[in-house]
Amino acid sequence: MSQEIWTDVLAYVRKNISEVEYHTWFAPVRLIGVEQGALVLGVRNSFAQEWFRKHYLELLEDALRSLGAEQPQVSFQVLPAAQDALMLPDPPPAPPPVPSNPRSTQRSVPNLPVPPPNLNPKYIFENFVVGPNNNLAHAAALAVAESPGKAYNPLFIYGDVGLGKTHLMHAVGHYMTERYPGKRVEYVSTESFTNDLINAIRDDKMTQFRNRYRSVDLLLVDDIQFLAGKERTQEEFFHTFNALYESHKQIILSSDRPPREIQTLEGRLRSRFEWGLITDIQSPEYETRVAILKMNAEHNRINIPQDVLELIARQVTANIRELEGAMMRVVAFASLNNVPFSRAVAAKALSHVFTPIEIKVEMKDVLRTVAARYNLAAELVRGAGRMREVVVPRQIAMYLIRDLTSHSLPEIGAFFGRDHSTVMHAISKVTDNLGKDAELTLVIDHLKRQLSGLDDLENDMQDSHF
Ligand SMILES: Nc1ncnc2c1ncn2[C@@H]1O[C@H](COP(=O)(O)OP(=O)(O)OP(=O)(O)O)[C@@H](O)[C@H]1O
């Protein structure tokens, strides 16, 4: 996760300084991690350390603020020389989205496994959650992947932004390159196709252009609606389409609308787009959104409780890219503010972007927050253990549940697998000690604020040393 935060920070920094400055100062920086809410960066020498403190600290803090850090903290460590040398070859941390047009020299060698073309490695079928909103598009994509050029040609996938059209197209590309090494797959956005065409005309390289697009086994063209109004590009695409279609090569097109709604598209192209199968992707319903978040969290190896994922899924409804962004925002917020995941934390993290939601504290929120405070597993606090290390947190959790929720003593007892008299005993024990034990008083106060709204997160962080 720290890597995602760092990637976002770098993107922010890059937007705010010149490219030269960025490459001089930020390219050699290594992320050490996020420790207790602070972003720890490794720099090459003490001069760089000083330079960063003087010139870039504020910018880095702003970047963290933009990710939700209430009290951004950045520290710099000088990397040991060997480590620096070792770390230098690291790939740059911010992978660009999908390059528009890299060419592989190996592609022209026949029968060699072709490296995956410019496809996003994350966009594979295994990572695609199927729900009622996209099952037809998914089934069609799978059918095409299994019998390219035969099942449906072209396959035309349409839907609003950020709903998985590109993901499905790439998945077919990956599937094909894995299954049939040597097959050529080309993914291109309509914009890149247009630019390539313009360059080819300008540089008198139309033969190369045509060879490139007409010799593929699978052509994936994103955002085909942008062909509208571009007559020369339409003309060229028409011939590319025919050449591929006639030699039974597969074509997959994506668009934000069905062919008949693309204005100023030549009739002959429109009718060709309708020859195969037209399928749409709708916005995902709640269960699919939760499943997508769950898969994403697992993919990034982040352990986010189900109820927090559910809260995020309720908040973001229309667009999966935004849904993923919201989850990352919550993760960054929790990690930069050094607080455990809870619905209150998620609500707070998203409050700047979405309509704030009011959170009712639930028993499991309390249990989790208390357990995190004592560095214990929640189930240990809830369990039957009688060691003082777990008994005190358990009593505190019972006390806080009684205080912050409307659950009755028997309900609290049932949650902990005990009877109501145990709960009563725990509550009176904590109440008795509250006035006498200053540290306990502070801890309870801190936990209460953390659980109810987090308006005082800044103070929480200052207190977090106890
Ligand atoms: N069903 C799904 N399961 C898992 N992840 C998904 C699913 N649908 C979309 N995503 C993820 O959502 C993000 C946006 O998807 P994608 O880029 O494919 O959308 P798109 O429809 O092509 O959007 P645009 O029209 O803006 O290009 C990606 O990270 C993708 O992996």
Side-chain angles (χ1 to χ4, degrees):
M1 178 56 219
S2 330
Q3 191 59 55
E4 271 85 13
I5 295 177
W6 181 225
T7 304
D8 286 351
V9 166
L10 279 180
Y12 183 97
V13 165
R14 203 167 186 163
K15 269 193 247 147
N16 286 285
I17 59 177
S18 72
E19 275 297 288
V20 176
E21 237 184 306
Y22 180 83
H23 284 287
T24 312
W25 291 104
F26 282 86
V29 174
R30 295 289 169 250
L31 169 72
I32 293 179
V34 175
E35 290 165 12
Q36 313 223 308
L39 183 72
V40 186
L41 300 177
V43 293
R44 287 191 196 197
N45 48 39
S46 50
F47 175 74
Q49 190 176 31
E50 253 331 283
W51 189 270
F52 268 93
R53 281 196 188 127
K54 262 202 190 131
H55 299 280
Y56 295 121
L57 189 58
E58 250 179 57
L59 179 62
L60 286 164
E61 287 174 351
D62 284 347
L64 291 177
R65 231 173 257 119
S66 77
L67 294 175
E70 301 268 323
Q71 283 214 323
Q73 296 174 66
V74 185
S75 68
F76 305 97
Q77 284 178 16
V78 177
L79 290 168
Q83 198 184 350
D84 182 23
L86 270 181
M87 290 174 97
L88 269 181
D90 270 0
V98 177
S100 62
N101 184 22
R103 306 291 302 142
S104 163
T105 47
Q106 288 183 40
R107 289 204 193 154
S108 52
V109 183
N111 299 329
L112 270 185
V114 183
N118 41 351
L119 301 178
N120 186 328
K122 186 196 143 202
Y123 293 178
I124 51 176
F125 279 117
E126 288 77 0
N127 289 342
F128 191 83
V129 176
V130 184
N133 63 315
N134 60 21
N135 58 355
L136 288 180
H138 174 261
L142 207 55
V144 160
E146 273 166 1
S147 321
K150 297 197 183 94
Y152 310 109
N153 208 10
L155 174 62
F156 192 103
I157 307 174
Y158 74 91
D160 278 342
V161 289
L163 292 182
K165 302 183 292 294
T166 309
H167 188 138
L168 265 187
M169 285 179 132
H170 284 211
V172 178
H174 284 299
Y175 192 95
M176 228 173 114
T177 34
E178 260 171 50
R179 266 241 175 139
Y180 311 104
K183 293 271 184 204
R184 281 199 50 202
V185 176
E186 186 76 54
Y187 165 79
V188 72
S189 65
T190 301
E191 203 189 347
S192 299
F193 183 87
T194 309
N195 289 339
D196 285 351
L197 176 64
I198 293 169
N199 293 340
I201 296 171
R202 187 195 58 204
D203 301 339
D204 204 9
K205 291 204 169 129
M206 278 309 288
T207 313
Q208 284 95 321
F209 176 88
R210 287 180 181 141
N211 284 346
R212 174 181 168 194
Y213 285 108
R214 296 182 194 180
S215 61
V216 299
D217 298 286
L218 170 64
L219 179 64
L220 310 166
V221 187
D222 224 340
D223 294 322
I224 200 78
Q225 74 275 6
F226 291 131
L227 273 188
K230 299 192 178 99
E231 283 146 34
R232 181 68 179 88
T233 314
Q234 288 192 23
E235 164 86 19
E236 195 55 40
F237 191 73
F238 174 75
H239 294 297
T240 305
F241 186 101
N242 288 344
L244 292 175
Y245 188 85
E246 278 156 22
S247 42
H248 305 287
K249 304 301 185 193
Q250 181 68 46
I251 303 160
I252 307 185
L253 308 169
S254 90
S255 165
D256 66 353
R257 65 200 80 170
R260 72 189 128 77
E261 285 176 24
I262 306 178
Q263 303 298 323
T264 59
L265 181 68
E266 279 185 38
R268 56 183 186 166
L269 265 182
R270 179 169 306 133
S271 76
R272 270 161 183 74
F273 292 172
E274 289 169 348
W275 277 353
L277 182 77
I278 301 175
T279 176
D280 68 334
I281 302 188
Q282 299 287 335
S283 292
E285 44 296 291
Y286 171 71
E287 289 77 11
T288 312
R289 297 200 298 277
V290 175
I292 290 174
L293 287 176
K294 213 165 175 179
M295 199 208 59
N296 232 290
E298 277 164 20
H299 186 83
N300 288 299
R301 299 210 181 84
I302 312 168
N303 197 0
I304 309 182
Q306 173 84 9
D307 56 345
V308 174
L309 295 180
E310 287 171 1
L311 180 132
I312 302 170
R314 289 215 183 281
Q315 196 70 321
V316 189
T317 53
N319 176 324
I320 299 172
R321 193 174 295 119
E322 262 185 27
L323 185 70
E324 293 179 338
M327 188 184 96
M328 279 309 157
R329 200 176 162 84
V330 170
V331 174
F333 183 91
S335 131
L336 293 170
N337 292 309
N338 203 19
V339 288
F341 290 118
S342 69
R343 290 173 327 122
V345 163
K348 173 86 178 173
L350 300 179
S351 62
H352 299 296
V353 193
F354 302 99
T355 334
I357 11 174
E358 215 165 287
I359 294 298
K360 227 170 87 199
V361 177
E362 286 182 7
M363 292 202 269
K364 52 189 171 189
D365 294 326
V366 179
L367 177 69
R368 223 163 32 218
T369 308
V370 173
R373 168 70 187 81
Y374 286 94
N375 268 333
L376 293 168
E379 282 319 303
L380 211 61
V381 176
R382 196 177 180 179
R386 294 180 171 278
M387 308 267 289
R388 197 183 141 70
E389 289 76 28
V390 292
V391 169
V392 173
R394 186 180 301 138
Q395 289 174 338
I396 293 178
M398 288 177 175
Y399 168 88
L400 285 172
I401 290 175
R402 184 68 176 146
D403 194 31
L404 299 175
T405 74
S406 52
H407 286 290
S408 64
L409 295 177
E411 279 169 346
I412 304 172
F415 181 69
F416 284 89
R418 290 170 170 77
D419 62 26
H420 78 284
S421 60
T422 312
V423 181
M424 220 151 73
H425 170 73
I427 294 173
S428 64
K429 190 106 206 244
V430 176
T431 316
D432 281 354
N433 285 338
L434 261 182
K436 304 174 201 149
D437 183 338
E439 186 174 328
L440 179 73
T441 314
L442 276 175
V443 169
I444 298 251
D445 193 38
H446 174 238
L447 287 167
K448 261 191 187 173
R449 276 188 280 128
Q450 229 180 13
L451 280 159
S452 41
L454 288 174
D455 280 338
D456 297 324
L457 228 157
E458 306 92 84
N459 308 339
D460 291 352
M461 289 174 57
Q462 276 156 17
D463 294 348
S464 64
H465 57 272
F466 52 70

